[in-house]
Amino acid sequence: MKYKIYIILWFLCFLYLRPYAQKVGDTLPIWEKGYMYIHHINTGCGECAYIIFPDGTTMLVDAGENNADSPRHVPPKPNDNKAPGEWIVDYIKNMMPARHKGLDYALITHFHSDHMGGVLKSKNASGRYYDTGMITVAENLPVGKLVDRGFPDYDFLVNKEDKMLKNYFNFLHFTKCKIKLEKFKPGADNQFKLLYDSVSYDGKFKVQNLYANGWLWTGKGDEIRYLFPDFGQLQKYDIPKENTLSCALKISYGNFTYYTGGDVTGYPKPGRASFHDVETQMAPVIGSIEVCCVDHHGYSDATNDLFVSTLSPRVFIIQASDALHPDHSTLERMLSKQLYKGKRDVFTTNLHDAAKIVIGKNVKKMKSRKGHIVIRVLPDGEQYYIYILDDSNTKRKIKRIYGPYVCKNGLDHNI
């Protein structure tokens, strides 16, 4: 009788441990209900994060496609046989939940090519617009709702003469794709919501819109406040630029928290006023988090001291593609035990050879410097793993596994 009990207990333990038993060389476990996946897709040409919520709702944050011919940029991944947007589509089709055919949500954080795609003559050029970046994604995958910072009139600090934006406007006008368009709403916590099973995760999951276009959530209800002065009182040089207008949000699942904010700035350029420092004003309403997707790829004008110390993340993720990603001083801030004492791991999708030389010995302190970075949050959001996937081919085998990380924060934890 005891023998049978031991067999049953062993079998139950095996069933419990099986989802966590992946090893290097395996494929990533398929998504199952209750898990949340955040895939940082590395094309070498910009930012892109594919997120699967715990009920199977899907969201894409950016789909960058910049000019990879510059010696400042890393080579395209896995190669240049397809355009970056096409590789993003290929990745999503390989990783999407069963029975899904597209994306529920897509967000363009701001209008720069390494986040939305530029006017590149990709293989899918049409008569009225070029398929590039997010356009390529929307042309090849059904998108339920597309959100950007400018819809519907694109009148707030949008350069309508920019060739990239003209291409985007032509797509919105001429496409036959059925897409609902919305403007990003700072302060809202229901613009990106669970679509397939909200009941099971009531009070456990939330996407909180934090900031865009100078409007910042106060941390109370859906209340927002405006950070910028009257533009009539400013010189042209001091008018906010595209990065400073980026959409930022925080995703919470149980005790797991994740921040992403496009290219939001934390250090004004020389001669610019302090209001360009959005990070310092935003940090208190974000609070302490688990994972921070680093602002502006780790460039020198973002991820400032107060931002790092307030968020005190267990994990930093850098979506890098340029020789200036990350800046050596930015990496020093991320690693600094003077800013906060807790443990932290730094991962980056790429590290340019020139960046390695400038960064020096701190390169060895980075956990990973090449590959797709996937966060796999376990049911109830108490623990998570980080997988590094091979970006050199479409097999995308696991190269490294980190974790389990035990979450420290609550759903509405703020400082």
Side-chain angles (χ1 to χ4, degrees):
M1 184 64 182
K2 288 184 178 180
Y3 178 76
K4 290 182 178 179
I5 292 174
Y6 291 147
I7 292 294
I8 293 171
L9 289 173
W10 178 88
F11 181 71
L12 291 174
C13 289
F14 173 77
L15 288 176
Y16 179 77
L17 293 172
R18 184 172 55 87
Y20 316 107
Q22 292 75 36
K23 60 183 183 298
V24 171
D26 288 350
T27 56
L28 188 73
I30 61 171
W31 176 86
E32 298 177 64
K33 186 176 179 181
Y35 289 81
M36 181 167 73
Y37 280 25
I38 305 176
H39 297 258
H40 301 88
I41 303 172
N42 182 28
T43 64
C45 297
E47 289 206 8
C48 181
Y50 172 58
I51 307 171
I52 308 175
F53 297 167
D55 75 331
T57 301
T58 58
M59 178 177 181
L60 189 69
V61 180
D62 288 335
E65 185 168 326
N66 60 15
N67 184 0
D69 293 337
S70 170
R72 279 183 47 169
H73 296 159
V74 300
K77 308 293 174 60
N79 53 53
D80 60 0
N81 291 342
K82 294 182 180 181
E86 293 175 297
W87 283 124
I88 291 169
V89 170
D90 182 87
Y91 187 104
I92 292 173
K93 285 183 176 180
N94 183 250
M95 299 292 183
M96 68 171 53
R99 296 184 297 278
H100 278 52
K101 296 182 179 180
L103 292 163
D104 295 306
Y105 303 109
L107 168 67
I108 298 173
T109 60
H110 63 293
F111 302 131
H112 277 164
S113 62
D114 59 337
H115 291 259
M116 68 176 290
V119 183
L120 303 178
K121 293 185 178 180
S122 69
K123 296 179 181 180
N124 288 335
S126 72
R128 289 170 168 162
Y129 55 86
Y130 290 109
D131 291 353
T132 172
M134 189 63 81
I135 295 174
T136 302
V137 173
E139 289 279 85
N140 291 275
L141 291 171
V143 176
K145 182 191 292 185
L146 175 61
V147 179
D148 64 34
R149 74 169 190 84
F151 182 82
D153 48 30
Y154 297 93
D155 283 342
F156 186 74
L157 300 178
V158 175
N159 180 10
K160 295 182 181 180
E161 298 305 310
D162 181 89
K163 290 182 179 179
M164 179 189 68
L165 281 168
K166 282 186 175 181
N167 188 60
Y168 178 58
F169 296 151
N170 284 345
F171 163 72
L172 297 181
H173 181 73
F174 292 111
T175 183
K176 296 179 181 179
C177 301
K178 295 181 179 179
I179 305 174
K180 181 181 180 181
L181 296 168
E182 282 189 5
K183 186 174 184 176
F184 185 85
K185 304 172 185 175
D189 63 4
N190 60 357
Q191 190 167 29
F192 308 103
K193 56 188 178 181
L194 300 175
L195 298 178
Y196 303 111
D197 184 3
S198 60
V199 175
S200 296
Y201 306 98
D202 185 30
K204 298 179 181 178
F205 179 87
K206 180 169 68 174
V207 179
Q208 177 67 58
N209 292 2
L210 300 169
Y211 169 85
N213 293 328
W215 290 98
L216 174 66
W217 181 49
T218 65
K220 300 177 181 178
D222 58 0
E223 182 180 281
I224 57 177
R225 63 186 180 93
Y226 192 58
L227 305 183
F228 298 157
D230 180 359
F231 292 164
Q233 302 174 2
L234 301 177
Q235 296 183 4
K236 185 177 180 180
Y237 181 70
D238 225 11
I239 301 295
K241 300 300 189 290
E242 192 62 42
N243 288 342
T244 309
L245 306 171
S246 295
C247 305
L249 53 82
K250 173 181 175 181
I251 300 175
S252 302
Y253 178 33
N255 286 336
F256 175 83
T257 44
Y258 172 88
Y259 164 84
T260 186
D263 287 353
V264 164
T265 50
Y267 287 108
K269 288 186 176 181
R272 285 185 179 165
S274 60
F275 68 81
H276 293 274
D277 174 9
V278 173
E279 287 183 335
T280 293
Q281 302 185 73
M282 183 167 53
V285 299
I286 300 172
S288 179
I289 63 169
E290 282 296 324
V291 179
C292 173
C293 184
V294 176
D295 289 332
H296 203 185
H297 323 278
Y299 188 62
S300 61
D301 67 351
T303 319
N304 67 31
D305 286 30
L306 180 65
F307 194 75
V308 171
S309 61
T310 303
L311 272 61
S312 59
R314 181 64 180 86
V315 170
F316 289 97
I317 291 177
I318 307 167
Q319 297 191 72
S321 59
D322 190 282
L324 295 176
H325 303 164
D327 184 87
H328 69 285
S329 59
T330 308
L331 181 59
E332 286 179 355
R333 291 194 291 273
M334 286 187 262
L335 294 171
S336 173
K337 292 296 183 72
Q338 279 65 49
L339 293 182
Y340 70 100
K341 295 181 180 180
K343 295 180 180 179
R344 79 289 311 270
D345 293 338
V346 179
F347 300 85
T348 183
T349 52
N350 297 285
L351 194 61
H352 196 287
D353 287 342
K356 294 178 185 177
I357 295 171
V358 175
I359 291 171
K361 62 182 181 181
N362 278 341
V363 168
K364 296 181 180 179
K365 297 181 181 180
M366 302 173 77
K367 287 292 186 181
S368 180
R369 302 184 289 275
K370 187 178 184 297
H372 308 292
I373 303 170
V374 183
I375 305 169
R376 184 173 184 247
V377 186
L378 275 55
D380 296 323
E382 301 297 331
Q383 298 183 48
Y384 60 100
Y385 287 79
I386 292 182
Y387 296 79
I388 309 301
L389 307 186
D390 188 353
D391 60 13
S392 66
N393 56 62
T394 57
K395 294 181 180 179
R396 304 182 180 104
K397 299 290 188 180
I398 297 171
K399 292 172 57 180
R400 294 184 183 178
I401 303 172
Y402 297 89
Y405 296 89
V406 178
C407 300
K408 60 183 177 182
N409 301 317
L411 182 66
D412 294 313
H413 179 84
N414 287 294
I415 291 177

